[in-house]
Amino acid sequence: MRALLTVLILCAVFIGCKKDKKPVEQISPISGKLYGVPFNAKVIIERYNSFFRMPKYTQDQLFAIYISPDADKSCASAEQSFLIRLSVPKKVGRFSQDDVYVLISDPRDATGKSGALFNSENTIIEVTSITADKIIGKVDIKGLDADTEFKGSFEAAICK
């Protein structure tokens, strides 16, 4: 009887000492609005950007991340066919202002010639993981006007 009582007490202690699990932060895929038009990312890739330059970094020190709402986009698609192009240093960290640039095309312009290039304290790109085949991170970006803002998480497949 005493052994049974001891077992019951130990079970109660173990149940009472159960660790509280911290909630896992869930961030949705990149979505928002571009020039007032709703946007949901379907394809996110990284590939070498041959034309973009930044004062603090050489081209080989930057990731060029391309984002599209069209599921049929791929590494073979033209750079201009992606509505969002992000430039961010090739390292884990949280970046804004002079460490990033965002190029947004206006989705209402079928020619792909209208858009904006910007950076600011409201332009935040965070790279949380880099592997041989993908870059994982988050964005929280507010454009120069109130009609462009998007945020969420991403896994950008690296084009080879």
Side-chain angles (χ1 to χ4, degrees):
M1 183 73 167
R2 185 174 176 176
L4 181 59
L5 184 58
T6 304
V7 170
L8 288 174
I9 291 172
L10 286 174
C11 286
V13 169
F14 282 121
I15 290 171
C17 292
K18 185 177 168 182
K19 288 185 177 181
D20 290 335
K21 291 185 179 181
K22 292 182 180 178
V24 177
E25 181 183 4
Q26 294 291 337
I27 297 177
S28 61
I30 296 172
S31 64
K33 58 185 177 173
L34 304 180
Y35 293 93
V37 177
F39 176 87
N40 291 300
K42 301 278 191 261
V43 174
I44 304 172
I45 61 169
E46 190 284 331
R47 66 180 180 193
Y48 180 71
N49 185 343
S50 61
F51 66 88
F52 201 79
R53 289 163 178 61
M54 290 172 56
K56 292 174 67 173
Y57 302 97
T58 63
Q59 287 174 299
D60 60 338
Q61 294 174 320
L62 295 170
F63 282 128
I65 300 171
Y66 296 80
I67 305 171
S68 176
D70 301 324
D72 64 340
K73 299 294 184 227
S74 69
C75 292
S77 299
E79 293 174 357
Q80 295 78 11
S81 67
F82 290 85
L83 290 179
I84 301 172
R85 286 161 272 177
L86 310 175
S87 293
V88 63
K90 283 186 178 179
K91 55 187 173 183
V92 172
R94 184 177 168 100
F95 307 100
S96 70
Q97 293 187 318
D98 294 334
D99 290 324
V100 299
Y101 273 105
V102 177
L103 179 59
I104 306 291
S105 295
D106 187 339
R108 300 168 298 185
D109 178 9
T111 67
K113 294 180 181 178
S114 296
L117 174 65
F118 63 92
N119 67 353
S120 72
E121 65 276 358
N122 294 326
T123 305
I124 300 168
I125 303 171
E126 184 175 358
V127 176
T128 57
S129 175
I130 303 168
T131 67
D133 60 347
K134 67 182 168 181
I135 302 146
I136 300 172
K138 302 178 224 173
V139 296
D140 188 356
I141 296 173
K142 292 170 186 64
L144 300 175
D145 60 37
D147 282 345
T148 297
E149 60 182 324
F150 54 94
K151 67 180 182 176
S153 61
F154 67 87
E155 285 191 20
I158 297 175
C159 296
K160 305 233 182 206

